[in-house]
Structures are given as structure tokens and as C-alpha cells.
Amino acid sequence: ACLRKRCAWSAQVTDSPHRVPEEGGSEVGSPLLFSPYRLPGKRYAAVFEEGRSVACGSMVLRWVPNGLDISCLGVISAKKVFHLAVERSRARRLMREAFRLRRPELQTGFDLVLMGRRKLLSESCQEVQKDLLWLCKKAGLLGERRPHA
């Protein structure tokens, strides 16, 4: 049975079986990636200028430390790679969902940008999650946050 709840992020009443997280938090059972975990547009430039990158067949990960207690995600699905709007939207959804589900396993304190490649559209959500974990492992972003030296 669906539960009628007033969402903290929306003025609308929704019928959703998912738990509504407390303000400022994202829960693994939640269907959305909440704004505290989304990378603001003005921070993309820092990731591209100062960040490092690693790639696999379906995605490229760029990252830079942000000095915060959370990691923020930005996604890029370029029109040059994904010609149709529906393809760009699917690519963004897949990347955000992989991050949302695997966020507890990642270190905090980083700004991450995922850039989709054409192969992303042929992969399932589980395969995208596996690729994200592989990229984060290669980048050294898995596990507990290391103390600054």
C-alpha cells in the first residue's frame, strides 16, 4: 500500500512507498539524489581545472577534494555523445542512481563529475554501479576517509 506523505523537497502530496528522508539527507531507499549531494554549477570548473581523472568503457570520473563532510556529484551527458534527449536523460539517471546507491561505500569530502560514454546506454543499472565502484577504487575513493597528513 502506498503511503501519502508530504515531501520535504516538494509542496505536493505524493503517493510513494519510499521513505521520505529528513531534511538535508538522502536515504538509500529514496528515489532521488537530494540537493546536498548534487554538485553546484560553479564548482564544475574547479573539478576540471584542478581535478584528476580516471576512465573505463562507459564513464569517465573526475574528482577533486572539496573540504566538506559530504561528496557531491555532477553528471555530464554530452549532446556529441548522446544525440537524442531521451538518451542524455537515461545516461544522467543511470549515473545518479549508481552514485545514490553506492554513496555509503565512498569516501566523503570530494566533488565528483561523471561523464557518460556511448557504451553507458547498453548497460544495466547494476553494471553501471560496478563500473562506478571500479572507477572509485582506481581513484582511491572507496572506504573510510583518510585523515589529512
Side-chain angles (χ1 to χ4, degrees):
C2 290
L3 305 174
R4 293 184 63 81
K5 298 179 183 178
R6 182 168 293 277
C7 299
W9 62 88
S10 171
Q12 300 175 4
V13 175
T14 62
D15 291 327
S16 172
H18 301 286
R19 294 185 346 174
V20 176
E22 299 302 318
E23 279 202 32
S26 173
E27 305 243 351
V28 172
S30 169
L32 300 172
L33 180 63
F34 289 89
S35 60
Y37 300 103
R38 290 204 177 180
L39 187 65
K42 59 188 174 190
R43 295 205 331 235
Y44 275 79
V47 175
F48 280 93
E49 290 172 10
E50 305 163 18
R52 299 179 59 200
S53 69
V54 65
C56 70
S58 62
M59 294 182 288
V60 177
L61 171 68
R62 295 185 75 93
W63 75 96
V64 67
N66 65 10
L68 302 174
D69 291 333
I70 62 171
S71 288
C72 297
L73 176 73
V75 295
I76 296 175
S77 54
K79 199 171 191 176
K80 184 176 180 180
V81 177
F82 306 106
H83 306 292
L84 301 176
V86 67
E87 294 174 343
R88 292 189 297 276
S89 295
R90 177 169 165 71
R92 282 192 299 268
R93 281 196 312 270
L94 283 170
M95 291 184 282
R96 283 185 187 136
E97 180 69 1
F99 176 78
R100 184 186 69 82
L101 293 172
R102 297 302 184 163
R103 185 180 52 81
E105 301 171 38
L106 306 179
Q107 290 183 24
T108 58
F110 290 93
D111 285 342
L112 310 171
V113 173
L114 284 173
M115 295 176 285
R117 290 182 169 174
R118 188 76 190 164
K119 183 183 173 204
L120 185 66
L121 293 178
S122 64
E123 293 191 343
S124 68
C125 189
Q126 289 79 19
E127 292 170 325
V128 175
Q129 289 178 49
K130 186 175 139 186
D131 287 348
L132 176 64
L133 287 177
W134 185 85
L135 288 170
C136 290
K137 182 178 179 181
K138 193 170 177 184
L141 301 176
L142 279 183
E144 296 296 319
R145 185 173 182 187
R146 290 176 255 146
H148 294 287

